[in-house]
Amino acid sequence: MRRGVSEYLVAPLQPLQLIAAIGGLFNDPAQPFVGRSIAFVGARGGAGASAVAHNTAYAISERIGANTVIVDYDLPFGTAGLDFNQDPLNGVADALGQPDRLDPTLLDRMMVRCTDKLSLFAAPATLDSDWDISTDAFEEVTTRIRSTAPFVILDLPHLWSPWMRRTLIAADEVVVVATPDLASLRNAKNMMDLIRQGRPNDAPPRLVLNQVGLPGRPEIPAKDFGAALGVHPSLVIPFDAKTFGSAANNGQMILDAAAKTKAAEAFQTLAQIVSRRELPAVAGPKGAAAKPGKPARESKSLLASIFKKKR
């Protein structure tokens, strides 16, 4: 220490250990705050990546208690506004159209506040534009939004483009949502191989198997699916059309609509994994065991709100 040694590392040494040690020594408290970005992408259309992203974000905000922002980058078909029963303002589209002008005040006006700790950058979900937006604009907007909350959930569309590639490689965490079929397996492998190649010193993408156990459908077992990709599934979500369908039609999250189901438990688990935080315990009645907090969130009829907005 007298010779100026600030830290020592013990072999065998991994690149991430060295990066973390140096980053800790040279961390500047005066630098702007940057939240953690978590990108969700479907291995194929209909895999349910948006539903997984939205429910995980809600679990992070309500169960873990961390401020969270959802960014819906599926500009023509995004469902974040529907899933949270919110009017889909042109928040993301407006931000992408003027990335250089974004400041905290403008960002706050563009966001929709869903709960005290969850905000939403909704997609316009219209076909009035071709949405020809540069890769640099997506990168700049994502960077600006990361200054607003500890966790930024990127809900990415099922397409491939230069901005998608850059967003996936730049994200702090990538979650690939797949269904247990051959097309999902092929696409997930292609995605994971590319992401691993683009960020060799970062953690590999996480795999979530969704809609497992669909009646009558031959499926690739989760163990074999993960083995083919070289990863263990972080989560396996059982098929539950009634629970998910009812929640979607009412603009609710699974934690509100069916808090005691396996799906609700799965999203809380995934929230802990990607946020790297534990669920806080909430004191109950005297002598009762502590339990995770349960959010209070009301939701109006989604169908009624849609017809009201269209008038």
Side-chain angles (χ1 to χ4, degrees):
M1 292 177 67
R2 287 194 300 269
R3 290 176 178 269
V5 175
S6 301
E7 180 63 280
Y8 68 91
L9 301 173
V10 179
L13 184 63
Q14 299 297 322
L16 288 180
Q17 290 177 276
L18 180 60
I19 293 171
I22 296 175
L25 293 175
F26 290 92
N27 181 39
D28 184 359
Q31 289 296 313
F33 170 80
V34 178
R36 181 176 175 80
S37 63
I38 307 168
F40 286 76
V41 62
R44 61 175 298 176
S50 291
V52 173
H54 302 164
N55 278 280
T56 303
Y58 188 68
I60 292 174
S61 65
E62 296 297 330
R63 290 295 196 258
I64 294 177
N67 289 328
T68 307
V69 176
I70 298 175
V71 184
D72 190 348
Y73 273 147
D74 190 350
L75 301 181
F77 302 111
T79 59
L82 292 176
D83 285 350
F84 287 94
N85 198 12
Q86 298 288 338
D87 188 9
L89 303 174
N90 293 341
V92 171
D94 290 342
L96 291 170
Q98 48 185 337
D100 296 336
R101 295 185 54 224
L102 296 178
D103 57 31
T105 302
L106 186 56
L107 286 171
D108 187 64
R109 287 207 304 263
M110 291 178 175
M111 285 191 290
V112 175
R113 185 76 64 179
C114 297
T115 67
D116 291 341
K117 292 185 177 294
L118 181 65
S119 298
L120 175 64
F121 266 93
T126 65
L127 304 180
D128 298 336
S129 174
D130 293 333
W131 307 117
D132 186 13
I133 299 170
S134 70
T135 300
D136 291 339
F138 279 98
E139 184 175 22
E140 180 67 20
V141 169
T142 301
T143 300
R144 298 293 181 97
I145 295 175
R146 288 179 65 187
S147 67
T148 64
F151 296 100
V152 176
I153 305 298
L154 304 177
D155 179 11
L156 302 181
H158 181 67
L159 57 81
W160 197 246
S161 63
W163 76 262
M164 276 286 293
R165 178 196 296 264
R166 187 182 296 186
T167 300
L168 287 171
I169 292 176
D172 294 313
E173 185 98 49
V174 177
V175 179
V176 178
V177 181
T179 50
D181 54 69
L182 189 59
S184 279
L185 178 59
R186 179 201 63 187
N187 296 349
K189 179 171 175 53
N190 289 339
M191 285 184 182
M192 289 190 169
D193 288 347
L194 181 139
I195 295 169
R196 285 190 181 109
Q197 182 180 359
R199 35 191 277 173
N201 294 323
D202 290 322
R206 298 189 184 277
L207 172 66
V208 171
L209 279 179
N210 194 25
Q211 303 173 16
V212 173
L214 178 65
R217 178 181 68 183
E219 297 181 346
I220 301 174
K223 181 179 179 180
D224 296 339
F225 201 105
L229 300 178
V231 297
H232 294 290
S234 296
L235 204 64
V236 175
I237 303 175
F239 177 76
D240 189 348
K242 183 177 180 180
T243 298
F244 279 84
S246 176
N249 286 340
N250 290 314
Q252 289 182 300
M253 294 294 99
I254 300 298
L255 286 174
D256 284 346
K260 296 183 179 181
T261 60
K262 291 183 179 180
E265 182 180 349
F267 289 127
Q268 291 184 88
T269 300
L270 186 57
Q272 290 179 269
I273 292 172
V274 299
S275 69
R276 301 180 182 178
R277 295 189 184 182
E278 296 295 327
L279 296 177
V282 177
K286 186 176 181 179
K291 298 180 181 180
K294 180 179 179 180
R297 179 172 177 263
E298 297 180 357
S299 177
K300 300 177 182 178
S301 170
L302 178 61
L303 296 177
S305 65
I306 290 177
F307 287 117
K308 182 179 180 181
K309 293 169 188 172
K310 297 299 181 182
R311 287 188 301 190

